[in-house]
Amino acid sequence: MSETSKRDTDIPETIQSLLVAFAIALAFRGFVIEGFVIPTGSMAPTLMGQHVRFQTPDTGYEYAFDPTNLIRGVKQNTEAKLPIYDPMISEDRAIGLMPGGRLLGNIRMGDRVLVLKYLYEFFEPDRWDVVVFKNPVDPIGPSQNYIKRLVGGGGEQVLLADGDVFTAPTDGELADFRIARRPRYIQEAVWQPVYDSNYIPLDAGAVESRIKRRFDGPPFKPSQATASNWTISDTRDWSFAVETRTRLDWAEDQLPFDDFNAYNIYRYPPLRGERRLSLRDVDPVSDLRLTAAVVPDDATEFKTSLELMARGHRFVFGLDQGTAKVEMFDADGRSLREVSGTYEPGPGGLLDLEFAHIDQTMIIAVGGEDVARLEYEWDPMTRLENAIDSFDLDRYRANPSGVEIRRPRLTWNFEGSPFEVRRVRVDRDLYYKTGRLDTRQQAAANGERIDGMLYATHPLEPARLGPDQFLMLGDNSGASRDSRYWGRPHPLAVGATGDDTPFIVHRDLLVGKAWCVYFPAPNRIEGTGYSVVPDIGRMRFIR
């Protein structure tokens, strides 16, 4: 065959191959997997919408924030100075000012995720799945595709209380509700940072002058009686020089335990005339985790314990010469329950420890392995009575955001040997907020507006979900419009599903399970304005 004839034959074959490949790709996209761009921050920081990734000048801490409320003003005046914040120093006090054009000079698009379509045609959705679905209140508008976390459904009752999810059978009473605990691999993905000892300011005095309040190091403060034996204020490696008993008390006024989310830092309203934020809408959180690496001089004599005062009870986590014990006390100091286990220190007596109070569970882990675990069961009403100061059901129903939630207190005790502490980190759990419905946010075209408490938060009116109905919530609860808020579904959604139940997502509206972030928001090429460099380090599976 001549070269000319061969080329003539290759051309149609190549075209045919391309057409077949294109058809396969379309079929794959339509029936197997499809990419979506995260449009908003309702799932942040698990998944990011449009955001800015900012590294603070004092500690080097890096976090992402939502720039939506700043963009218009910065476009009008790029040189206008805006306050900047460092969550490792203060939640609400600005650490300085920066020109808006520079602050927003690295705006990134939302994460791109791959979604496994039609998975739920063959498998039941699991609680805690991150799911893409058609927006039931606006299935054809610009926000027709939503992504949230599935927290309940498939024929059960669901109730949100003090930030957690409780479930019961459809015929169960209030006393039958039990807390829904996350699997460990999902819990690891949703911890929210409160403090990390790796981030310390270069010049504490300069920070103090800018935040206009005293700043004397980490939020863990040594007791006065033993403070002179501590090295802690300006170093990542803390140490205590003698074997006597000592303790560290958490300074609640420096970094409170609450549901503050750094992603929302420019969504919180500023205080007029001050470089501070108004954080009246944040709620105390008692589901906390402390991790650290502790190296005692004498591991055979060393003891340490963490005491968490929360919800009118005292939760004690202890490590004592090979024995790990978690114990729960009531307000009068009576021991209610305890569980013990054993542990082995690592090389050189290293204790790579974790103390966690999460989903009504106390956990001690050493070297990444659970060594003591205690689960306690409170129904939602008991939880509210313990979590809220002077709880009154009628007052709670009238104004759930106005009640006084008890603030947790934390004390860390040591004795028996000099020691060093490194890599101290405190995290808090997701917290699903309550409140009242805003009827102005419900579309009039969808039918009569609904008033009252947010859906699934009324203790006497839990969400009752049928076998094809699901409750969806955003991880960024304070900035998520989800099943708690929606109201009645759009007539088109009702027509497609035959279900006019408000607030829920019907099975027929599920698109698929979010599988992975395949293209995180790319890095910008310095000086060009183009964001094209893939941020490969942030590619991840979605938990």
Side-chain angles (χ1 to χ4, degrees), residues 95-201:
I95 59 167
L97 298 171
M98 181 178 288
R102 180 182 168 196
L103 180 63
L104 302 191
N106 190 22
I107 291 183
R108 303 181 177 201
M109 65 181 183
D111 289 334
R112 294 178 180 268
V113 302
L114 290 179
V115 176
L116 300 176
K117 301 179 70 174
Y118 298 101
L119 179 70
Y120 297 135
E121 295 288 336
F122 307 99
F123 301 97
E124 276 295 303
D126 289 327
R127 194 187 321 277
W128 314 123
D129 280 356
V130 177
V131 179
V132 173
F133 54 92
K134 292 298 181 183
N135 179 1
V137 298
D138 186 15
I140 57 173
S143 300
Q144 61 179 276
N145 293 316
Y146 266 19
I147 184 166
K148 308 288 181 188
R149 192 176 295 277
L150 188 156
V151 302
E156 64 180 356
Q157 297 183 79
V158 178
L159 187 56
L160 307 178
D162 188 32
D164 279 333
V165 179
F166 293 78
T167 65
T170 53
D171 59 351
E173 303 294 332
L174 186 59
D176 298 323
F177 277 79
R178 293 294 179 265
I179 196 164
R181 296 182 171 92
R182 298 182 191 88
R184 188 177 183 94
Y185 73 95
I186 292 178
Q187 185 60 55
E188 289 296 323
V190 300
W191 285 114
Q192 311 283 301
V194 176
Y195 170 73
D196 189 328
S197 66
N198 284 321
Y199 300 100
I200 58 175

Side-chain angles (χ1 to χ4, degrees), residues 2-15:
S2 68
E3 287 297 322
T4 302
S5 300
K6 187 175 186 302
R7 282 197 302 271
D8 291 343
T9 304
D10 286 347
I11 290 173
E13 288 181 353
T14 300
I15 293 174

